[in-house]
Amino acid sequence: MGSVETYPSTYPVGAVHTVSSANGDFVAFINQSLLTIRSVADSATRLSKRLEKNLSESLKFLGWSNQSSIKATETDGITASPRVLLADNDNVHVYDLEDSQWHGLFSGASSGLGPISNVEFGSTKNEILVFSDFSVKLTIWSLRTSRGVEIRDPKFSGANGHALRSKSGHLAVLTRPSTRDTVLILAPGTTRELETSFELPSTDAQGLKWSPDGNWLAIWDSASSGTALFIYTAQGMLFNTYYGPENSENLNLGIKCIEWAPDGSYLAIGTNEAEVVLLQVPSFQMHATFQHGQQPNPSLIVPNGSIWQEQMEDGTRTSTYTRSPQPACPPGPSVPKDNMNKNILPNHSITNLHFSPSGNGSNGYLATRCAATPTTVYIWDLQSLTLTSVLIHHFPAVDILWHPRIPDLLLLHCAVTYPVLHLWSPTWATPRIIRFSLPKNAGRGLVSWLSESSSSHPSGIAATTAAATSDEPRPRILYANAHNYAIVRIPTENEMTNESGNATSQIMLRSGFTTPSGERSLLGPEDMFDEGNSMDLSPIKLSTGTFTRVMGYRQDEEIQDGEIDDGSVDDTFDFKSR
């Protein structure tokens, strides 16, 4: 079994879940039938719930409410605590971190239209988005009113098919009710009234994304249509289109992905021709292009930077970064033996675009990855618009994560089955590789940034290096696999073991998941069974399966804006092309 994120299409169904909260302050994990939430700061258990056996055995989803959704407002609820959801093929359970007696349940959340294909929180912690199988329907459930709003024919159940507008909470949904793509923009609130809808000039739209300031909605077409990007205003008016650079020698193979700069000053386009196009906002004119090396001759020269290559020590899994001579040739993708003699066209798609938190016109970085060189990560300086660093690894880079609060700290995780983390910062002499051990390895793990620690030795850490002398923030990383999870603190310069970049670390072993017979469990007696959690707090399940009334709200929490909680389900939005 492998680990699972909130989207099960990436990881096997039935795997053990470990997920950090949006702000990195808490970690939720499941061991057998016990849901546990612990604080990262002091490792204290904040919530512990015994799950029903059928839920724990068929669990597919575990996710947190967004950080922006836990602000206490008059319309959003009494407490400001985050919430966590769990779901199987048909039911969605929601728990509140601060109110252990509160439990929300939507029974038959997919309305009998097959298993749930995706579920996540909406713009607030009181809103749940449930996608039925085969994208038949999206149901927006309200935990405040126990009612659902239905959207038929959503095109995708994943992140590319819907987008939440920052600050206002408007929801844009890409649908295809007939032969034309249609975008619905739904107003915030428990009823999600339709604010506007418009048909797209696209052939087969592949996704949509709001700009960080919410002023623009970018939609891109399929590669079969060539480069086609449509920019709409928040009111649904077509503002601009981009069909690629004029007089270009490229084949115009279309767009693979897009990404907005955090301040909205740039829109990056990842093409299928190993190229990133940077558009300047609001003119949406080409500002720069970043070329990636293509096979069979992907020679790289970085005049004002460095190329770093991962070197493995013989007979061990220990590795370090060494400076590579230039020009360098990153390796291409591995080819299965069955395809070696076949004439298969190479893939030159840009698969990853990641701006650093300060990624704007005056500073910041853009990290990219190309399918033609899957083990290589390119880091571009947005001030000089040049390539500043290249990291070449032994295995494909899977996760590329900038630290949310330290603008120039990058975390890389490669497709390996043992715990190892790769880190880059322009302030370091060399990039770092942190290798550590766990009681049991179980396939490729999951990684995420956690909130920083300001103390030299946070509670519960088993120190493997000398204590640091400063009180500088200590970035921490969650690494989780199917059997255990660790919290890894990045060493300071004084704690580096040598100048080559190979670092030791401080690791907190927080749990021991199910282990084979005879192996030592890391769970203490207090974690194995909690008699106080054996109470059945589930709400009443209605036989219709249409919706389930949410129980457990405080008595002083009432429906806002004069709404009448009659338990009915809102009419289905069914928009057909005109």
Side-chain angles (χ1 to χ4, degrees):
M1 298 191 304
S3 299
V4 176
E5 289 180 323
T6 52
Y7 303 110
S9 59
T10 306
Y11 299 96
V13 173
V16 176
H17 300 54
T18 303
V19 181
S20 61
S21 62
N23 60 359
D25 287 341
F26 306 99
V27 175
F29 65 92
I30 296 174
N31 176 48
Q32 298 177 0
S33 61
L34 186 66
L35 167 67
T36 303
I37 298 178
R38 286 178 175 170
S39 170
V40 171
D42 56 9
S43 73
T45 299
R46 298 293 299 274
L47 182 69
S48 183
K49 287 289 182 181
R50 184 70 59 181
L51 305 178
E52 297 178 0
K53 183 178 180 180
N54 58 346
L55 173 62
S56 61
E57 292 179 350
S58 59
L59 189 66
K60 291 176 57 178
F61 303 91
L62 173 63
W64 286 86
S65 58
N66 296 325
Q67 184 65 11
S68 60
S69 71
I70 63 173
K71 297 178 180 178
T73 64
E74 290 182 345
T75 59
D76 190 35
I78 302 299
T79 65
S81 62
R83 286 175 178 169
V84 62
L85 66 79
L86 302 87
D88 54 19
N89 284 327
D90 199 44
N91 306 302
V92 180
H93 299 253
V94 185
Y95 296 96
D96 193 283
L97 186 60
E98 297 299 331
D99 188 352
S100 61
Q101 300 302 310
W102 189 92
H103 175 204
L105 169 64
F106 290 112
S107 180
S110 63
S111 302
L113 297 175
I116 296 173
S117 62
N118 184 30
V119 58
E120 60 188 75
F121 281 96
S123 61
T124 73
K125 65 177 184 179
N126 288 318
E127 184 177 75
I128 308 293
L129 310 181
V130 180
F131 293 83
S132 61
D133 203 12
F134 303 109
S135 296
V136 175
K137 184 176 65 173
L138 159 64
T139 306
I140 306 173
W141 293 102
S142 171
L143 285 162
R144 294 189 54 79
T145 65
S146 303
R147 295 186 296 180
V149 178
E150 296 182 355
I151 310 295
R152 288 187 180 177
D153 305 312
K155 193 165 186 180
F156 307 112
S157 61
N160 287 344
H162 61 284
L164 288 165
R165 187 169 181 250
S166 61
K167 299 179 181 179
S168 71
H170 284 78
L171 176 64
V173 183
L174 180 61
T175 67
R176 195 174 179 95
S178 56
T179 60
R180 301 295 298 271
D181 293 321
T182 303
V183 173
L184 312 179
I185 298 182
L186 309 177
T190 56
T191 58
R192 281 292 183 187
E193 298 291 339
L194 177 67
E195 191 159 292
T196 186
S197 67
F198 50 91
E199 290 186 354
L200 300 176
S202 59
T203 302
D204 184 15
Q206 295 300 294
L208 75 174
K209 285 189 177 182
W210 285 105
S211 61
D213 57 12
N215 291 335
W216 312 104
L217 182 64
I219 305 168
W220 68 99
D221 210 344
S222 64
S224 61
S225 302
T227 300
L229 178 73
F230 311 101
I231 305 297
Y232 284 83
T233 66
Q235 293 74 34
M237 303 298 294
L238 181 62
F239 177 79
N240 208 338
T241 57
Y242 178 78
Y243 293 106
E246 297 181 359
N247 303 321
S248 175
E249 296 180 357
N250 291 345
L251 298 177
N252 195 12
L253 298 179
I255 298 174
K256 177 64 176 180
C257 58
I258 68 170
E259 188 61 55
W260 292 92
D263 67 344
S265 61
Y266 288 139
L267 175 60
I269 301 174
T271 72
N272 290 304
E273 298 173 84
E275 182 181 62
V276 174
V277 179
L278 211 59
L279 302 183
Q280 199 159 26
V281 180
S283 65
F284 293 99
Q285 299 300 311
M286 187 174 68
H287 181 66
T289 59
F290 298 146
Q291 298 286 343
H292 298 64
Q294 297 188 21
Q295 297 289 342
N297 185 27
S299 297
L300 283 176
I301 297 179
V302 187
N304 301 318
S306 301
I307 299 178
W308 301 95
Q309 189 161 5
E310 183 183 16
Q311 298 289 341
M312 304 284 290
E313 295 184 8
D314 294 339
T316 69
R317 290 178 174 176
T318 302
S319 59
T320 59
Y321 279 115
T322 59
R323 198 184 301 270
S324 174
Q326 301 188 39
C329 293
S334 59
V335 180
K337 294 181 179 180
D338 296 340
N339 297 335
M340 286 185 176
N341 298 325
K342 297 180 181 179
N343 187 18
I344 299 178
L345 294 176
N347 183 0
H348 298 299
S349 301
I350 300 297
T351 58
N352 297 77
L353 292 169
H354 302 277
F355 283 96
S356 65
S358 61
N360 53 53
S362 60
N363 54 39
Y365 300 92
L366 174 65
T368 63
R369 176 183 177 271
C370 180
T373 54
T375 65
T376 304
V377 175
Y378 305 81
I379 302 174
W380 308 85
D381 189 323
L382 294 178
Q383 184 175 11
S384 62
L385 298 177
T386 58
L387 186 61
T388 187
S389 189
V390 177
L391 306 175
I392 303 175
H393 308 92
H394 274 270
F395 299 94
V398 179
D399 299 310
I400 303 175
L401 304 172
W402 290 100
H403 194 285
R405 291 169 292 277
I406 303 177
D408 57 0
L409 181 56
L410 181 65
L411 167 64
L412 307 174
H413 185 224
C414 297
V416 294
T417 58
Y418 53 89
V420 60
L421 304 171
H422 300 74
L423 297 155
W424 176 89
S425 173
T427 62
W428 296 342
T430 62
R432 302 178 184 178
I433 299 176
I434 297 180
R435 173 77 171 93
F436 56 96
S437 61
L438 292 174
K440 184 174 180 61
N441 292 331
R444 189 176 72 84
L446 297 176
V447 297
S448 61
W449 287 108
L450 298 175
S451 57
E452 301 85 8
S453 166
S454 59
S455 60
S456 298
H457 291 287
S459 174
I461 293 182
T464 61
T465 60
T469 58
S470 64
D471 290 330
E472 61 185 90
R474 309 297 175 82
R476 294 187 288 189
I477 301 167
L478 171 68
Y479 180 94
N481 61 25
H483 289 278
N484 25 233
Y485 78 89
I487 296 179
V488 182
R489 182 181 65 81
I490 299 177
T492 63
E493 290 290 344
N494 294 333
E495 296 172 329
M496 296 297 293
T497 57
N498 53 62
E499 296 181 357
S500 64
N502 188 24
T504 57
S505 60
Q506 293 185 344
I507 303 174
M508 294 180 286
L509 294 179
R510 294 302 195 206
S511 69
F513 295 127
T514 305
T515 57
S517 177
E519 292 191 0
R520 181 174 177 265
S521 172
L522 298 175
L523 285 176
E526 69 278 5
D527 293 318
M528 297 303 293
F529 180 75
D530 186 351
E531 186 176 359
N533 292 324
S534 61
M535 295 177 60
D536 182 10
L537 302 177
S538 302
I540 301 173
K541 298 181 180 181
L542 303 185
S543 59
T544 60
T546 304
F547 70 94
T548 297
R549 190 173 303 277
V550 180
M551 308 294 289
Y553 277 104
R554 296 181 176 88
Q555 294 181 357
D556 57 350
E557 185 172 358
E558 298 177 354
I559 305 301
Q560 301 294 320
D561 303 327
E563 294 180 352
I564 300 175
D565 184 14
D566 57 1
S568 63
V569 178
D570 290 359
D571 291 339
T572 299
F573 289 141
D574 185 9
F575 296 94
K576 300 181 179 179
S577 59
R578 300 178 179 86

